[in-house]
Structure formats: structure tokens, C-alpha cells
Amino acid sequence: MHGCGGVGLSAVMIAAAAGARVIAVDISPQALALARKFGAAECVDGASTPDTAGAVRELTGGGAHLSLDALGSPATCAASVNGLRRRGRHLQVGLLPSPSGTTPVPMARAIALELELLGSHGMAAHTYPPMLELVRSGVLRPDLLATTTITLAETPTALATMDTAPGAGVTVIEPWR
């Protein structure tokens, strides 16, 4: 799991609830602490680990069965794919703009290891009822994702500093405050 923002932390929570052994990768210690709280078995600090894919391969004894990149930078996409084992599956959810306008995928590895590459922009409507049942029963706690609340007036500053002052969890904007 690369990228522990709101989407990534949601994926950590869901995967852990489904019984997966989750390895979270992020550059923010606060985001990694939340990932551990939400069920990540291992956390890799991308700021101090030069080869996060190698760390994932080591922690999994050869590579992950499934990787998910919730950020979508060229570096996280490559690291996520490079952390997979033979016939692993990669799910690309996030997609950041890059200078070239593309996010390169290490296709030589994808072909050599017969990897499956998938893209997604959200849940299918037919999967909502089982997911909502997990929320109702308390197995999933999306309320814990909201860690910061700001006013509508604070929003421009928060948006302008997102790339230099990453937070942890989800920021909720309360326009009535």
C-alpha cells in the first residue's frame, strides 16, 4: 500500500478487516502511525528507506501478492509494482500529474513476472451494501479517518500548502464554522 492519505488509509482499514497482512508505505510518520492504528502489520518510511520496493519484498518473503498505489506519483507507481511477487496484482487508484503527463509503469517487470495491472476510480455500486454493513457493525470505522477540521475560510491556505505540509488522515471542511 503506497500512500496513506484518506484513500490509502481507507484501503488499509478495509484490507486489514478482510484479513490481509497490510504493509503501508508513506513519507509521513503521522500517516504511518494512523496506518498501524487502522491495521497495518508493517510500516515502511519512504523518507528514510531508499528502496521501498526492496523493503516490501523483504517483509513479504519475495514480494506482495497485491499492491495498491493510492498516491500515483511516478515513484510510488514504480515502487508499488516493483514490490510484487510473480503473478502479483497491482491496483492503481491515485494519479498525480507528472511533468511528462504520464506515470510510467515498469512494464519489463510486469511482463517478466506476469503481473496483473488494474486501474480504479471508485467502488462499484453493488459493493456498497456489504461495505456499509461492515461500517454498521463497527468492523470498519471511517469516522476515525477524520483527524482535522477546518473552516471554509481556512481552505485556500490548506490547499496551497498540501504538498509542503502533508497531514495525516482526512481534513473535514465545516463551512458553517
Side-chain angles (χ1 to χ4, degrees):
M1 158 62 63
H2 282 74
C4 295
V7 171
L9 289 171
S10 296
V12 167
M13 191 181 289
I14 293 165
R21 181 174 173 259
V22 178
I23 299 172
V25 181
D26 202 285
I27 61 170
S28 165
Q30 297 88 351
L32 291 173
L34 283 174
R36 190 170 300 284
K37 177 180 176 181
F38 298 153
E42 303 283 347
C43 292
V44 176
D45 183 350
S48 63
T49 306
D51 180 11
T52 59
V56 169
R57 288 192 307 273
E58 184 176 325
L59 288 167
T60 57
H65 293 278
L66 172 71
S67 67
L68 186 147
D69 178 13
L71 183 63
S73 75
T76 58
C77 178
S80 192
V81 171
N82 287 330
L84 287 168
R85 68 179 58 233
R86 177 171 295 283
R87 293 191 183 91
R89 178 183 288 184
H90 171 72
L91 178 59
Q92 190 66 43
V93 177
L95 190 59
L96 289 178
S98 69
S100 67
T102 62
T103 299
V105 175
M107 290 308 292
R109 182 173 179 86
I111 292 168
L113 296 183
E114 299 177 321
L115 302 178
E116 187 175 351
L117 306 174
L118 304 166
S120 177
H121 62 83
M123 284 178 50
H126 75 275
T127 62
Y128 286 8
M131 184 71 61
L132 291 173
E133 177 54 31
L134 292 173
V135 172
R136 189 202 61 73
S137 69
V139 171
L140 296 180
R141 295 283 313 274
D143 59 307
L144 297 177
L145 294 168
T147 57
T148 307
T149 304
I150 63 174
T151 66
L152 190 56
E154 295 170 304
T155 303
T157 302
L159 289 172
T161 60
M162 277 179 67
D163 60 341
T164 59
V170 174
T171 298
V172 176
I173 302 166
E174 291 185 341
W176 54 86
R177 276 190 24 201

